[in-house]
Amino acid sequence: MRGRVASGMAVLLVTGCGTQAETVAVPPPAPVTVDVAAASSGGACRLLDFGVIEQHAGVRFDVAAASATGDSHTCVVRAGREALPELTLTVTRTSIDAATFTADVVPEKAAKVSGLGQRAYRRTTSAKGAVGPVAEVGWLAAEGRLATLRYATLRDADRAKAEKLTTALVALARQLDTRAI
């Protein structure tokens, strides 16, 4: 009896090994979206944070690019592949003083801003070409830094909304430590 059980087991084992399981196609995993910080682009982008910009400007940016030319460092942030709106931060090392800044840098008809750097201004420019109104804040920061934040809006944006953005940009500028550049 043991011989029959053993031979029956051998038959079962041999027949089970002879067939291969069919391969099943597995769909590829879904792409993973990674939220990369603006600072990862280096340069002047190290001063910016997408979440902080969104708190002030009300727009979620998720792409940043940095560049440097001489003593000037620039960071441009955008939302995906869209060209506008666009926020640009420029920080330049300078030896000018507050009087020179006021006389030579502050644009005509710009409003004075207090509590930001040694001297500061804000202004809104009209739409031009494919760009809507531009909100701008410029300041002479600590330790010889000239800084500018420019927010270029969509072509059909309302100038009054761009003017309100200058207040948001002033608040954002107050959080930036330009000495890190």
Side-chain angles (χ1 to χ4, degrees):
M1 177 109 153
R2 281 189 183 175
R4 279 193 238 171
V5 172
S7 65
M9 296 270 289
V11 169
L12 286 175
L13 288 174
V14 171
T15 58
C17 293
T19 60
Q20 292 184 349
E22 288 185 38
T23 57
V24 177
V26 177
V32 177
T33 303
V34 178
D35 192 16
V36 178
S40 67
S41 294
C45 293
R46 293 186 313 231
L47 304 179
L48 296 175
D49 178 272
F50 292 132
V52 174
I53 295 169
E54 183 177 14
Q55 287 174 344
H56 293 287
V59 174
R60 179 68 179 175
F61 293 105
D62 55 7
V63 176
S67 70
T69 303
D71 288 336
S72 291
H73 301 269
T74 303
C75 178
V76 177
V77 296
R78 293 182 176 168
R81 297 179 188 264
E82 301 299 322
L84 293 173
E86 173 182 273
L87 179 71
T88 305
L89 168 65
T90 304
V91 179
T92 305
R93 293 176 197 252
T94 186
S95 60
I96 66 171
D97 59 12
T100 304
F101 175 82
T102 302
D104 296 340
V105 177
V106 176
E108 288 184 31
K109 299 182 183 178
K112 182 180 176 181
V113 173
S114 55
L116 176 60
Q118 297 175 41
R119 294 276 196 284
Y121 71 88
R122 69 182 187 156
R123 72 176 180 155
T124 305
T125 62
S126 299
K128 185 176 181 181
V131 178
V134 174
E136 178 180 285
V137 173
W139 69 101
L140 181 59
E143 298 187 23
R145 304 293 197 278
L146 177 62
T148 307
L149 271 172
R150 292 177 43 93
Y151 187 105
T153 64
L154 297 169
R155 175 72 180 131
D156 59 349
D158 182 45
R159 184 179 168 104
K161 287 183 182 180
E163 182 62 35
K164 284 184 180 181
L165 270 172
T166 62
T167 302
L169 292 182
V170 168
L172 176 59
R174 286 186 175 128
Q175 295 186 4
L176 303 180
D177 182 5
T178 58
R179 294 174 296 178
I181 298 295

